[in-house]
């Protein structure tokens, strides 16, 4: 009897949780309020050159996706994109500003500071068959100094005792 009650409830809760993960049912023309109702509060807001706004929905720190939803100046959805991809990483360039990196791929899964170089190190988990993440190093002027892939520490085996 408990199994008959709990199993459907668990499936319903799982379906409800998954519906807010990505933009799913949102279509062009939807408003920003629709996006927030579907996906929750944005993790970032970035201005677009045409007066519109890009809303960031990061699904981290262990999530492998960040969704960017672009809205026109009237607050209507133009497009959606899951931005944590090799293509988007390869489009980043040395010298780009911190704001531009945030606007393109969103906030990192993890941020740390490298005292010797005096750089911020941003690490991004994403869908890949390898145990790597993408990293962006920002200098003291908040400009991209280095870009590349590195081993994700969550995959490191524990040290023998």
């Amino acid at each position: 009897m408990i199994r008959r009650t709990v199993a459907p409830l668990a499936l319903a809760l799982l379906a409800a949780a998954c519906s807010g993960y990505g933009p799913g049912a949102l279509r062009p023309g939807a408003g920003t309020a629709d996006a927030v109702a579907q996906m929750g509060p944005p993790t970032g807001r970035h201005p677009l050159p045409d007066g519109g706004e890009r809303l960031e929905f990061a699904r981290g720190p262990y999530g492998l996706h960040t969704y960017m939803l672009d809205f026109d100046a009237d607050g209507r959805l133009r497009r959606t994109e899951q931005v944590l991809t090799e293509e988007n990483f390869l489009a980043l360039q040395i010298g780009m500003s911190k704001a531009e990196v945030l606007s393109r791929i969103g906030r990192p899964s993890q941020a740390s500071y490298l005292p010797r170089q005096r750089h911020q190190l941003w690490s991004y988990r994403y869908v890949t068959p390898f145990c790597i993440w993408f990293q962006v190093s920002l200098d003291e002027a908040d400009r991209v100094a280095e870009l590349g892939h590195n081993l994700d520490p969550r995959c490191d085996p524990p040290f023998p005792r």
Side-chain angles (χ1 to χ4, degrees), residues 21 59 61-67 82-87 89 109 124-134 149 152 154:
Y21 186 83
R59 301 305 191 220
Y62 289 99
L64 305 175
H65 305 95
T66 294
Y67 296 95
Q82 193 295 109
V83 295
L84 299 183
T85 66
E86 287 288 339
E87 282 179 294
F89 296 150
S109 299
Y124 295 84
R125 289 192 169 90
Y126 67 106
V127 176
T128 176
F130 309 105
C131 196
I132 58 174
W133 57 6
F134 186 76
H149 296 85
D152 186 338
R154 72 182 171 145

Side-chain angles (χ1 to χ4, degrees), residues 14-129:
L14 182 61
C18 291
S19 68
Y21 186 83
L26 292 173
R27 298 288 171 248
T32 55
D34 299 323
V36 171
Q38 167 76 24
M39 301 184 67
T43 54
R45 292 178 175 268
H46 311 283
L48 294 173
D50 63 359
E53 184 176 40
R54 172 172 279 185
L55 297 186
E56 169 191 324
F57 296 90
R59 301 305 191 220
Y62 289 99
L64 305 175
H65 305 95
T66 294
Y67 296 95
M68 294 291 192
L69 281 63
D70 291 351
F71 293 87
D72 62 22
D74 295 326
R76 296 287 162 210
L77 182 63
R78 287 193 309 222
R79 67 184 213 100
T80 65
E81 180 184 8
Q82 193 295 109
V83 295
L84 299 183
T85 66
E86 287 288 339
E87 282 179 294
N88 288 332
F89 296 150
L90 294 174
L92 299 177
Q93 297 178 359
I94 303 296
M96 277 185 172
S97 71
K98 175 181 181 176
E100 192 168 1
V101 173
L102 288 170
S103 179
R104 287 180 179 225
I105 61 173
R107 71 180 191 178
S109 299
Q110 181 179 317
S112 56
Y113 183 71
L114 305 173
R116 178 171 280 178
Q117 295 94 334
R118 291 190 233 147
H119 285 188
Q120 295 176 56
L121 183 63
W122 288 358
S123 302
Y124 295 84
R125 289 192 169 90
Y126 67 106
V127 176
T128 176

